[in-house]
Amino acid sequence: MYLCKLCQASTTPITDTKKELVYYRCESCGFVSLDDKYMIDKIEEKSKYDQHNNSLENEGYVQMFEDFIDLGIEPYRNNIQTALDFGSGPTPVLAELLERRGLVVDIYDLYYAPKKVYEDKMYDLITSTEVFEHLCKPLDSLELLAKHTKHNGYIVLMTKFPPKDDKEFLAWWYRRDPTHISFFTPKSFEIMAKKVGLKVLKIINKNIVVFQRG
């Protein structure tokens, strides 16, 4: 029996017969995860990331972040001076945009900015955009972020929520990226938040989650 990584409830398998992959959907919180044995290695994972066209010259990419800031961060802006962008990617576009709005921003990325600059720091805001779908142990990562968030500070994530229907999930473009292995529902995030001392303040457009540390 494959149990949910987030809440330990029973899961139902979703089989992709074409690519010979198996996912598991939690019967309680709806979290969907790829079976660990089908996950690609770190070398192949980085090679996929190196192919991304993520820069300030990419207008659509920049606009995605501007919308993310306007919707998920600006409503709380008066309480935010310092930030960490966790999973900043090869070009830290979000960090640059936040700095333009007056924040002091640190960056961390497993491959592109691996120095753990956050270790002795606490932040008013931690962002993590298009990162959590790549994580094998997302609960551990959220717990780490919570530990470095100030009292009443914010964590704002961006990741797309999966279709509830299995056939729709298998046809969903977002899960076809082989580095995308974890897919969350609002209930998933509520459960994760309670386990690490956060509360979900708001969910926006089925892809942005705003947490606050208690």
Side-chain angles (χ1 to χ4, degrees), residues 67-73 75-76 156-161 186 200-210:
D67 293 343
F68 171 77
I69 295 169
D70 289 339
L71 293 170
I73 297 172
Y76 315 101
V156 187
L157 307 184
M158 178 194 290
T159 186
K160 290 181 171 54
F161 297 173
V200 175
L201 284 187
K202 197 171 185 181
I203 291 177
I204 306 163
N205 294 342
K206 295 183 179 180
N207 74 329
I208 297 173
V209 185
V210 182

Side-chain angles (χ1 to χ4, degrees), residues 52-69 73 83-103 105-109 112-113 127-131 158:
H52 292 175
N53 177 27
N54 300 341
S55 70
L56 286 165
E57 286 69 46
N58 185 334
E59 293 183 4
Y61 188 68
V62 170
Q63 189 59 54
M64 176 187 76
F65 283 132
E66 293 285 15
D67 293 343
F68 171 77
I69 295 169
I73 297 172
L84 169 69
D85 186 25
F86 183 84
S88 54
T91 307
V93 172
L94 177 57
E96 171 68 23
L97 298 176
L98 290 172
E99 287 176 345
R100 290 179 184 180
R101 299 200 188 201
L103 299 187
V105 186
D106 285 341
I107 63 170
Y108 169 78
D109 189 278
Y112 303 105
T127 58
S128 193
T129 57
E130 298 296 308
V131 172
M158 178 194 290

Side-chain angles (χ1 to χ4, degrees), residues 4-5 14 35 65 173 179 213:
C4 176
K5 292 181 178 181
I14 307 171
D35 189 309
F65 283 132
W173 66 271
T179 67
R213 183 177 175 187

Side-chain angles (χ1 to χ4, degrees), residues 82-85 99 104-108 115-126 143-151 213:
T82 61
L84 169 69
D85 186 25
E99 287 176 345
V104 177
V105 186
D106 285 341
I107 63 170
Y108 169 78
K115 184 178 180 181
K116 297 179 180 179
V117 294
Y118 55 80
E119 283 193 322
D120 298 316
K121 295 185 178 182
M122 301 289 285
Y123 298 92
D124 300 317
L125 167 71
I126 297 180
E143 183 176 29
L144 174 66
L145 300 189
K147 286 180 179 178
H148 293 279
T149 304
K150 292 180 182 178
H151 177 66
R213 183 177 175 187

Side-chain angles (χ1 to χ4, degrees), residues 21-37:
L21 300 174
V22 179
Y23 299 83
Y24 296 94
R25 189 191 298 272
C26 178
E27 295 174 1
S28 178
C29 75
F31 175 65
V32 181
S33 60
L34 179 66
D35 189 309
D36 290 358
K37 68 183 178 184

